Amino acid sequence: MKKTLKSPIYKYCPVLLLMALLLFSFSENENSTEPKPKKATNEPVFLSATYKGEDKVYKEYPLKDGEFYNPILQGTYPDPAITRKGDDYYMVCSSFAMFPGVPIFHSKDLVNWTQIGHVLDRTSQLDVHNTGISQGVYAPGITYNENNDTFYMITTAFAGGLGNIVVKTKDPMKGWSEPYKLKFDGIDPSIFFDDDGKAYVVHNDAPEEALYQGHRVIKIWEYDVEKDQIIEGTDKVIVNGGVDLADQPIWIEAPHVYKKNGLYYLMCAEGGTGGWHSEVIFVSDNPKGPYEPAPSNPILTQRYFPKDRENMVDWAGHADLVKGPNDKYYGVFLAIRPNEAGQVTTGRETFILPVDWSGKFPVFENGLVPMEPKLQMPEGVENNTGKDGFFPNGNFTFTDDFQADRLDYRWIGLRGPREDFIKKTKSGLQIKPFETDINELAPTSTLFYRQMHKDFTFTTKMNYKPKSAKDMAGITCYQNERFNYAFGITRKDKDYYLLLERTENGKSKIVASKKIDLDNPVSLKVKAIGDQYEFSYALDGENYENLGGKVSGDILSTNVAGGFTGAMVGLYATSANDATPN
């Protein structure tokens, strides 16, 4: 009202002023009983979002009593590591340039998992603001130290000048320390705490002289628990190349040390993270070696089987072991489920298998035959996945109206905190657009949800009116900064347009565009069936119209776009749009 009261017409017309005040008062009365929705602005408000998984395998293989689905974490949750304290299990996964970093899960039985947050949830712990999505945080390890009742998470951060770091906590439910920077190079570190109080770090590193492409070594250091630092001069190479150097094995990595019956076991991934991926095991009577490989390596792989097998699981490896319920061992590991076109849109996912360790060496049960989509429950465990806050499994529907006090942990940012661009409103979630395009190496104002199925639909309802051609908001299907789709509303002159843009290998082109009216909120939808993606919109919330026909999901596949992540779908806004409607 301040501007109104200063207006000349009210200065000289008190009757008009009184009438205006009465009208304003009446309007306020009306609004107090039935609030009207705010007008759309160039800061979009997403009223709701729904993700629905519809994979055929879950329809054809319904669960029976005593069964659960594998993978246990669908979508891009790679490089799992696991530890146990009493009856509590904690598991972490890689997050690369996603923010917050290192999702952490809790379980009492290895079947029903709850995400309790992220280990690296502050910018002081993780700086990934200008890195590619497949950089950032690699292969975290998590270990509980009984000697001092402390949990440790150790990882390699390919950003922010951190390198190898460790954070720790007495209680994973209550957050983690600031990082301690560790003085060694290489990747994939993990910590082993011996029962004599000593501690060791093992990791992948480059050899002094590489003999072939992919030649790596495994190193071990003694670790000072009081100073949280490796002890300089204690490093030693304990594996050179892999199981048999004569075979020129590639990418020995992701090492973990375990102790059983007085012997020390070193388990590593070997063969690279693609089709030759596997898990191998070594043994020694000393934590610093020498280590001898098991005669029956690998103990886990899917590399030997036909590529056209049904319900194909591939690339299995990068594992960690834990003693489960009833003292039965289990192993978590990554693997993929390609679609019928051989593409990997869901990325590397977290699987689990029971492990037979009745002999000298552990072996993954059914880890050397084609994997099945279902497993038998551990004895005495009930399947509650998708209920009471437990992570869903199989086909499921996730709906968010953004009215909860806390944003669901499954919504993540990229290269920076979500809180920098989101704001909860009475009608939904408002996103403040950054001057950053989806293809830039910078934080984007995008709220991401992992693609967890080969067949899925994702819908959102958005209130938005762009003010200029630089404004755009909608959804994105995103593999990385060089391979993605953007589907949203922008402006050209005085008209509003819906457009679909495809970016392949860094080059963008408009697939289709259409002038639309923006009198009401717009509903946007993407539907994928394997390789085929369809983008559509509805102006009435119900009757969807396709834009651009069927388009290939090839650019959303890990084995096409490269890198280490799966596809994600996001609620996207930008004030740096450079896509011009046709």
Side-chain angles (χ1 to χ4, degrees), residues 155-173:
T155 190
T156 309
F158 279 92
L162 285 174
N164 290 296
I165 59 171
V166 65
V167 295
K168 58 184 184 176
T169 183
K170 292 289 186 179
D171 185 352
M173 303 279 189

Side-chain angles (χ1 to χ4, degrees), residues 328-331 352-356 363-367 375-376:
K328 169 73 177 177
Y329 279 91
Y330 284 81
I352 192 169
L353 280 177
V355 171
D356 182 352
V363 177
F364 285 75
E365 295 180 16
N366 297 320
L375 289 175
Q376 292 297 312

